[in-house]
Amino acid sequence: MASINSSTSDSSAEELAQLVADGVGSCTTAAERAALVPVELSSAIERLKAERDAVILAHYYVAPEVQAVADYVGDSFYLAKLAKSLPQQTIVLCGVEFMGESAKLLNPGKHVLLPEPAADCPMAHMVKRETVDAAREQYGDDLAVVCYVNSTVEIKSWSDVCVTSSNAVKIVSELPQRNVLFIPDQNLGRYVAEQVPDKHVILNKGYCPRHHVITAEQVEAAVLAHPDALVLAHPECKAEVLAEADYIGSTAGIIKYAEESDASEFIIVTVAGVLYELERRTKGAGKRFYFPATRPTCVNMDMISLRKLVTCLATASGEVQIGVSPEAAAQAKLTLDRMLEYAAK
């Protein structure tokens, strides 16, 4: 394999990234995939970052080898909060479209790049304007439209405050309004409603296709195969799946729980991309992680490859544009700012 030094061309860096991509098929663990990234490629990425004044952010769901070269890895709340505080003028966000849009809204003067602009989130579109308008007409000022961060800029602009899976319960409980329209995810909304019974939570019909297809029977089968394992589930799962869980939380919460738990076996009921961080945080502790038989994967997150990341850095491609009016963009940003304010209390 040819070396890459500080003067190596960007095309050579892409070729090395492709060799990494070609080699992942023979790997059996997330750690093995990440270990394929050679020093030469890491050095090339560092050079490109310096040239662009860039920082790489990655979601826990993207490929292990992409997480391995990122400067920061986290869930959507962590990445949104972090993006606002970083000094670099270019943010390369290894995640789906709504994450790039959120980073751009919070940093309108910076360049925000997506390695794969076509990586979208189906749930981000699953609400109609008439649903929001009808609720506002019925409940008036005693309604808060609470928008899961997994949503488009336009949908955020219809809303009052954003939330993530890690802070939704806290924020909804602190809202002055009694009535809450929770969009777009019905499963997270239902979970929030159960945790905040004094609120009247109105549900929308949206859902995450990756979590919604997981069944209680699949989880039960995993428990039968691994009777000593604790079940850790994401609140985007259906209610009957969450009923099987020993712990319910965001991706960051699931990882933290597994890291700190005295247990040694866990059934992970969320997208399998979290395995890399789980293995990294618990290395040497003898902990084992299992997934439902139909391993949950996100086809959109899987589109973000190491080669696309290198191309993005080298060419400054995939720049995020906010495709709504300035007034709508300002309202969408306000929902994110309010989220950060509530979460900081």
Side-chain angles (χ1 to χ4, degrees):
M1 185 175 291
S3 295
I4 290 184
N5 54 40
S6 59
S7 61
T8 302
S9 70
D10 298 329
S11 61
S12 296
E14 283 193 57
E15 289 169 5
L16 189 50
Q18 186 60 45
L19 287 174
V20 174
D22 292 341
V24 300
S26 61
C27 297
T28 58
T29 69
E32 285 179 354
R33 287 182 63 168
L36 283 176
V37 181
V39 173
E40 295 92 340
L41 180 55
S42 296
S43 297
I45 289 172
E46 289 301 315
R47 174 177 59 81
L48 290 167
K49 286 194 305 180
E51 291 173 0
R52 297 281 180 204
D53 188 22
V55 61
I56 300 174
L57 312 185
H59 193 275
Y60 288 129
Y61 289 166
V62 300
E65 59 272 20
V66 175
Q67 293 185 50
V69 300
D71 297 295
Y72 301 95
V73 181
D75 63 5
S76 50
F77 175 61
Y78 172 76
L79 296 179
K81 182 172 66 171
L82 183 66
K84 198 171 181 180
S85 66
L86 294 170
Q88 289 86 354
Q89 287 303 300
T90 300
I91 298 169
V92 181
L93 208 152
C94 300
V96 294
E97 185 178 25
F98 78 80
M99 297 177 185
E101 289 177 339
S102 294
K104 183 64 177 179
L105 286 171
L106 291 169
N107 300 274
K110 294 186 179 183
H111 300 288
V112 178
L113 310 179
L114 291 171
E116 179 44 83
D120 198 1
C121 171
M123 179 171 62
H125 305 269
M126 290 185 185
V127 62
K128 296 179 179 178
R129 180 62 187 263
E130 48 263 40
T131 300
V132 177
D133 291 344
R136 289 202 185 278
E137 183 176 350
Q138 181 173 356
Y139 296 101
D141 292 339
D142 195 28
L143 176 81
V145 179
V146 175
C147 186
Y148 193 19
V149 73
N150 300 38
S151 55
T152 66
V153 172
E154 183 180 13
I155 290 170
K156 287 181 177 70
S157 76
W158 306 339
S159 308
D160 297 305
V161 63
C162 258
V163 297
T164 69
S165 54
S166 61
N167 62 32
V169 171
K170 170 180 165 48
I171 291 176
V172 169
S173 68
E174 294 179 5
L175 291 172
Q177 296 89 348
R178 179 179 178 272
N179 300 293
V180 172
L181 173 62
F182 196 98
I183 57 175
D185 184 20
Q186 62 182 296
N187 293 318
L188 178 58
R190 184 177 295 108
Y191 174 73
V192 169
E194 291 171 354
Q195 304 305 307
V196 192
D198 57 314
K199 299 287 187 180
H200 173 225
V201 179
I202 305 148
L203 300 178
N204 177 64
K205 293 183 179 180
Y207 56 87
C208 167
R210 321 309 165 202
H211 289 96
H212 199 68
V213 297
I214 301 169
T215 66
E217 290 75 17
Q218 290 171 346
V219 177
E220 290 165 0
V223 171
L224 282 174
H226 309 285
D228 295 328
L230 298 180
V231 177
L232 315 184
H234 196 285
E236 288 180 18
C237 295
K238 291 181 287 190
E240 56 265 33
V241 172
L242 298 184
E244 303 291 330
D246 298 289
Y247 171 80
I248 300 168
S250 65
T251 47
I254 287 171
I255 292 165
K256 185 174 186 288
Y257 187 95
E259 181 183 14
E260 297 178 351
S261 174
D262 292 332
S264 59
E265 294 185 84
F266 305 89
I267 296 164
I268 306 299
V269 192
T270 190
V271 174
V274 299
L275 182 59
Y276 172 62
E277 186 68 8
L278 284 166
E279 291 179 338
R280 190 188 71 81
R281 295 249 198 121
T282 62
K283 186 176 181 180
K287 295 189 177 185
R288 295 180 295 280
F289 303 100
Y290 312 104
F291 290 87
T294 303
R295 195 178 176 101
T297 60
C298 177
V299 295
N300 288 287
M301 290 288 194
D302 289 347
M303 293 168 67
I304 302 154
S305 68
L306 198 54
R307 183 168 188 176
K308 289 176 182 176
L309 170 57
V310 171
T311 301
C312 177
L313 272 171
T315 63
S317 57
E319 182 151 12
V320 173
Q321 304 292 334
I322 301 299
V324 297
S325 70
E327 295 77 16
Q331 177 58 35
K333 180 180 183 299
L334 182 59
T335 68
L336 291 167
D337 288 335
R338 284 175 175 162
M339 175 184 74
L340 297 176
E341 290 168 7
Y342 269 108
K345 290 181 182 179

